[in-house]
Amino acid sequence: MTSQLIVGKELRRLGKGVIDLARSRRLSQVGGGGVTRTYLVALGLFCVLPIGATAALYYSIPNETLTASPVRTLTVEPVRLPDLRGQMAAIEAVTDPISHEIFVREAETLTSLLARLQIKDTQARDFIIRNPITQALVYPKQGQFVTAVAGEDGKLEELRLYTDSDISGKGSLLEVRRTARGFQARTTPYEYDTELTMANGVVSGSPDTSLLNAGVPAKIVEQMHSAFDFDRDVVSQLQRGDAFRLIYETKFAEGSFVRHGRLLAMQLDHDGKTTELFRFDNDNAGGNFYDAEGNISRRTFMRVPLDVQSVTSEFSPMRRHPVTGVLRPHLGTDFRAPWGAVVRAAADGTVEFAGVGTGYGNYIRIAHGPGILTLYAHLSSIDPHVKKGTKVKYGEVIGRVGQTGLATGPHLHYELKFGNVQINPMTVRLPDTKKLTPYQFAQMEVLIAPLRAKLARLQQVQVSSLSGKNAVSQTN
Ligand SMILES: [Zn+2]
């Protein structure tokens, strides 16, 4: 790709930005959660052009556009906006039909959704309620992106709901359309425009606050933490002066920002070394983070299936039962934890039992492959989605600590069994140094090569800006 091509691409984006800006101005008269974001995206796009030098800096990496990333060192120059008044007047002169773009709010209903989209159409509403395909509109989820086109009389012409899966990042589009023969609905797979956003910064206070202050979305910070085991979380160990570099997805639909997607790569400088992790999805289920040698970053079994950082545990094969007083084998580990503390699935698996037992109280048993079981007892509650047959992921919340069954105080009774043998999870070597096969590793190497190149560039920028030089003017 030549730099002219990049400039051409940026110009097209600028054009799109103009339209988005105009559109958001028009929309702002009717309000709606999406408007400010559209406006911000448009502004973000304007900011890209004056830093053409930055584009040139990254142009050796093909097929990617530098997005409006929170790379603070690159956006210090003032931006002069072109005079758009003529174009805006022309765009605003176009009136009907009226289109709206909004994001689903918390506790949104179909009724409130239609009202915010300025649709007054009982026939359309009835169609959506009765049609099995359109139920996602009857129960919209917070954050979903919705667009609508309606006549000036409020009659629905077209309604679109963009849904997506957080895990795989795959989306689908639900469309309701007025035709000559009444309304029609259909669902099709939807590919969001995905851009890679880069962020870097240096920790100055608490790690999370520093990340958020550098513009890293909360959802990405969450993913950074969950790339590690709770007891080995490098993110929470970051200290003042430690640097971070990240690449994550930003998703757009019809030119509007929809949400941030998956964290794809991160580098964390801490304690004199750099932790580098890449997401690799070899099972199409969201993937895991691996280091550059193909070692999985998170153990496949949580040692302690609780969020609690320090827990007192007791694993004794024989003891006097605290309630019945009878000496008998104690089959498990007791983790003392406050009532209501979150209990997580220790590894990926399938729920075998979720219900009440006499001694165990509320308990859950999960199978993790041939002969491997975990059991969680005395729970105050079991998460409603956890039922026999439910597939659970490592770290997924399954219930809460309690005192049901034979228990003297709130604690988690935890059992781990390999081929019917009780294991002490705190001391045993668990089969969790999962390494990719040579074939998978080769696949991963191809996929992460462009991400590594980007991180290396980002590091150069970071190093030169930290040493007080202007990163942009130094290059090329
Ligand atoms: Zn116990």
Side-chain angles (χ1 to χ4, degrees), residues 314 319 321-322 328 330-335 360 377-378 406-407 411-415:
E314 186 186 328
R319 69 163 188 189
H321 194 278
R328 55 153 213 169
H330 176 247
L331 305 171
T333 308
D334 289 335
F335 292 114
Y360 284 145
H378 309 314
L406 289 174
H411 75 281
L412 173 69
H413 170 97
Y414 177 60
E415 294 181 17

Side-chain angles (χ1 to χ4, degrees), residues 358-380:
T358 44
Y360 284 145
N362 295 324
Y363 78 100
I364 300 167
R365 193 172 64 233
I366 300 174
H368 305 280
I372 308 175
L373 288 173
T374 54
L375 187 146
Y376 316 75
H378 309 314
L379 303 174
S380 60

